[in-house]
Amino acid sequence: MSGTGFTPNEMMTIAASRALKNDDVCFVGIGAPSAACNVARLTHAPDITLIYESGTIGTAPDVLPLSIGDGELCETAVTTVAVPEMFRYWLQGGRISIGFLGAAQLDKFGNINTTVIGDYFHPKTRLPGGGGAPEIATSSKEIYITMAQTKRGMVEKIDFFTSFGHGEGGDHRKRLGIDTSGPTLLITDLAIWKPDPVTKEFTVVSLHPGVTRQQVQESCGWVVKFAEALDETPAPSELELNTLRDLQARTRAAHEGTGKAKAA
Amino acid sequence: MVKFLPLKQAVAENLNNGDTVAFEGFTHLIPTAAAHEAIRQGFRDLTLIRMTPDLIYDQMIGMGMAKKIVFSYVGNPGVGLLRRARDAIENGFPRSIEVEEHSHAGMANAYEAGAAGLPCAVFRGYRGAGLAAVNPNIKSVTCPFTGEVLAAVPSIRPDVTFIHAQKADKKGNVLVEGIIGIQKEAVLAAKRAVVTVEEVADNFDDLHPNLTVLPRWTIAAISVVPGGSHPSYAHGYYARDNAAYLEWDEIAADREKFQAWMQANVIEKSAGDFAGRVEHLRKAA
């Protein structure tokens, strides 16, 4: 995307950050969700509550953590609680407004696989697994998902249900007794997607600047539905872009720093 | 009653072949020195329990010590996959291992139930998730009051739990602070607990009473091992060695490279080497 001054990944992270509100309480996954949540905190949502599953509540790291338990998350938190308390009182207790997840495989109903590629008992690739995600997906009031689009990642049928989205669509969540909204937003490097109000199938509602419908379809494993009134995502502002780049530069320096000192 | 012992002796007295063992630590205070001592002593047929198996379980699995792992996230956080664990699961190398997989919520509740002396944990979990279909230890119960169907998992009761903590006092009470993870529950759920600490203080008279302290009579043995959680970290003592986590991905990717690294950095080393490994990570006072 030369000439426009930002990369698709930067657009994705910034579009995701815009979705977060100042009064949100957000359960943050590592990677793109973590970058998006912290850009939101450093721009339009300074009071957003970020929670990592290590138990840090209201954390404000200066650099992006490599893991969900980096020391800085604890040092800058309002409070840090034990892991059982995190999952019992705060997540299961209904205190989280947004669960922000990434995915290795995703289907059009927002179901996520981060467990295995292939058969569970004889996997082609054993992925790390769900960690906190199975319950984040059902106990957070809403789920936002962010991932870069590929045909291998966005598939008609995921190999394993690590986290339940809208299942087979429609009222499937309700039929399982799940009373939270599930995935309400998908932000990729090409577009913003929202579930159809009835079928719950993710539908493209906004294309990022310069992106075509064809590009979205070519990097997606299912037949893409587009909203009738398709928006264009506003390009990143200078403030948003500088905030993200500064954050990533600080993060790179911090994570490389220990390695250099060690070699010395 | 708790004994202060050199790590070699603490491990030898408390771990046995075939044990169910938890080396716990949720990204912080991971008991690396204790795990390396167990590797040096060559235990076999262990059932390894941990929410986030991480590097030390990758190392123990790669050395063929595990017959089963119980976990909720078998990754190298922020880096990727645990390659020795993958090799065991995908290819049965160096031996096949049995896998029991949960979510973090499932494991946390199961430890808590173990600490509480209950047979199982009940929580709102696994709804719509595939794990319930592949793990026979995930069942459901119906609330007798509301009729709500809830998840049930058996409590975790390790033969022995190892943790790392900031300090002990001279009586053997142990202080844990920062990200306290699941360590307290893992100690109280176990038949025996071994704690490595950064240092020993005369007493805890100055501590705030709300800090997490494990009373001395909940612990079998304490070993003083400064730096004992490297490349993890000890809040207030030294920072996480993120570069080492990134490097591990390359080391573990190759079977021979892994063996050579283990020989040089674990088999031929001792607990005393950990202090030197964290020297450059200690914060300026």
Side-chain angles (χ1 to χ4, degrees), chain A residues 63-64 66 248-264, chain B residues 240-244 246-247 280-281:
Chain A
V63 301
L64 295 173
L66 185 68
Q248 286 174 333
R250 287 200 298 277
T251 299
R252 269 193 304 274
H255 293 171
E256 282 168 5
T258 48
K260 276 181 193 148
K262 191 176 169 185
Chain B
R240 191 176 194 264
D241 192 348
N242 281 326
L246 295 168
E247 283 162 16
H280 68 287
L281 298 162

Side-chain angles (χ1 to χ4, degrees), chain B residues 69-122:
Chain B
I69 54 169
V70 182
F71 66 94
S72 43
Y73 184 87
V74 63
N76 180 350
V79 177
L81 309 162
L82 287 181
R83 296 180 184 278
R84 292 298 91 223
R86 265 188 71 181
D87 207 5
I89 295 169
E90 293 171 12
N91 309 313
F93 182 89
R95 59 173 288 182
S96 60
I97 53 171
E98 196 185 330
V99 162
E100 180 177 337
E101 182 168 7
H102 290 275
S103 64
H104 281 347
M107 294 274 296
N109 277 282
Y111 269 120
E112 204 182 37
L118 289 168
C120 72
V122 173

Side-chain angles (χ1 to χ4, degrees), chain B residues 144-194:
Chain B
F145 305 104
T146 64
E148 183 177 359
V149 176
L150 298 160
V153 292
S155 61
I156 292 174
R157 304 301 304 267
D159 292 308
V160 54
T161 287
F162 291 87
I163 65 163
H164 187 74
Q166 274 91 354
K167 57 178 99 173
D169 69 11
K170 282 187 168 168
K171 290 179 179 172
N173 301 300
V174 166
L175 168 74
V176 192
E177 60 180 343
I179 289 175
I180 52 177
I182 194 74
Q183 286 95 309
K184 182 175 178 177
E185 292 76 13
V187 163
L188 297 181
K191 292 176 192 149
R192 304 180 294 282
V194 176

Side-chain angles (χ1 to χ4, degrees), chain A residues 169-257:
Chain A
D171 65 349
H172 199 173
R173 283 177 78 87
K174 204 171 272 177
R175 281 188 275 128
L176 291 182
I178 305 168
D179 58 8
T180 51
S181 301
T184 55
L185 189 63
L186 164 65
I187 301 118
T188 68
D189 51 341
L190 302 179
I192 297 173
W193 310 54
K194 287 186 178 171
D196 177 275
V198 178
T199 67
K200 301 297 181 190
E201 177 176 341
F202 268 128
T203 306
V204 175
V205 296
S206 180
L207 292 172
H208 297 338
V211 173
T212 64
R213 291 176 185 232
Q214 196 185 345
Q215 278 176 288
V216 174
Q217 181 61 72
E218 280 171 357
S219 53
C220 181
W222 66 78
V223 178
V224 178
K225 290 209 167 118
F226 294 89
E228 278 178 28
L230 203 53
D231 288 332
E232 180 176 298
T233 313
S237 71
E238 207 174 314
L239 171 69
E240 288 170 325
L241 210 48
N242 287 342
T243 303
L244 173 61
R245 287 176 180 173
D246 288 350
L247 180 63
Q248 286 174 333
R250 287 200 298 277
T251 299
R252 269 193 304 274
H255 293 171
E256 282 168 5

